[in-house]
């Protein structure tokens, strides 16, 4: 159960967030409702997320893998659920995506680059981070500087999202129920 009411005061910002969520995702997203208790923060967060969507240096599939690995490592069932649904919308292979939370047991399902991205994501998400010079240098060489910086920033952003949602007690909202393959991995409580 959420640790904060998901019925914030219906300010103009909250009503806009509800409208946009329904239009873009088919339902109102719980993180928007939780953040709606602070309308100014919600506005700035929405602006930040819309700017992130314009970053294009990193391959979208690699970016998505990084986001899912980070969400799974933190244990954010809301983020994993939404990430699985979003993978379906991006046309990513859901059978492969369903293995992301436990990717180390399914290494043959991923390319060497994908495994490096997921390893880097886990190392960045650890507290304290455990990124090695060798791993960073290898990824920089394979991705290029701009994509490497974008990867690093996206892992940090997913840490922000997952930690906010987890701390607020947000759980799976059922997005992945609309996908062709049921979500594997961490419990979807």
């Amino acid at each position: 159960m959420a640790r904060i009411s998901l019925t914030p005061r219906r300010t103009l910002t909250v009503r806009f967030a509800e409208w946009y969520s329904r239009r873009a995702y088919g339902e109102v997203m719980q993180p928007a409702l939780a953040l709606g208790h602070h309308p100014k923060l919600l506005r700035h967060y929405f602006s930040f997320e819309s700017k992130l969507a314009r970053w294009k240096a990193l391959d979208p599939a690699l970016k998505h893998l990084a986001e899912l690995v980070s969400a799974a490592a933190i244990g954010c069932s809301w983020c994993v659920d939404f990430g699985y649904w979003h993978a379906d919308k991006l046309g990513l292979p859901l059978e492969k995506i369903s293995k992301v939370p436990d990717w180390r047991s399914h290494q043959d399902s991923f390319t060497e680059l994908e495994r490096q991205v997921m390893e880097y994501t886990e190392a960045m998400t650890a507290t304290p981070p455990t990124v090695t010079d060798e791993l960073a240098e290898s990824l920089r060489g394979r991705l290029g500087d701009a994509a490497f910086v974008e990867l690093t920033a996206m892992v940090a952003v997913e840490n922000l999202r997952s930690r906010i949602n987890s701390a607020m007690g947000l759980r799976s909202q059922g997005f992945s129920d609309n996908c062709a393959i049921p979500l594997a991995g961490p419990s979807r409580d």
Side-chain angles (χ1 to χ4, degrees), residues 95-111:
E95 187 173 334
K96 181 178 185 174
I97 294 299
S98 71
K99 296 174 182 170
V100 169
D102 189 27
W103 71 270
R104 289 184 184 276
S105 297
H106 303 282
Q107 290 195 34
D108 292 346
S109 299
F110 301 98
T111 67

Side-chain angles (χ1 to χ4, degrees), residues 29-31 76-82 165 171-173 175:
M29 297 176 68
Q30 292 173 356
C76 180
S77 65
W78 193 95
C79 298
V80 171
D81 175 51
F82 181 76
N165 293 343
R171 300 285 180 255
S172 173
Q173 195 172 334
F175 281 100

Side-chain angles (χ1 to χ4, degrees), residues 75-183:
C76 180
S77 65
W78 193 95
C79 298
V80 171
D81 175 51
F82 181 76
Y84 192 75
W85 174 86
H86 193 237
D88 189 35
K89 299 301 175 202
L90 291 172
L92 300 177
L94 296 182
E95 187 173 334
K96 181 178 185 174
I97 294 299
S98 71
K99 296 174 182 170
V100 169
D102 189 27
W103 71 270
R104 289 184 184 276
S105 297
H106 303 282
Q107 290 195 34
D108 292 346
S109 299
F110 301 98
T111 67
E112 182 184 342
L113 179 57
E114 290 169 337
R115 289 191 306 268
Q116 277 192 318
V117 164
M118 293 187 291
E119 180 182 356
Y120 181 76
T121 299
E122 283 182 347
M124 254 193 84
T125 302
T127 303
T130 59
V131 175
T132 65
D133 292 341
E134 296 77 24
L135 179 57
E137 187 58 35
S138 177
L139 276 170
R140 277 187 56 231
R142 296 188 77 179
L143 297 173
D145 287 345
F148 176 73
V149 169
E150 187 171 317
L151 169 63
T152 303
M154 287 311 303
V155 172
V157 167
E158 188 55 44
N159 269 258
L160 170 75
R161 293 171 182 148
S162 293
R163 291 178 189 280
I164 287 173
N165 293 343
S166 292
M168 294 220 187
L170 302 181
R171 300 285 180 255
S172 173
Q173 195 172 334
F175 281 100
S176 63
D177 295 342
N178 298 317
C179 297
I181 300 170
L183 181 62

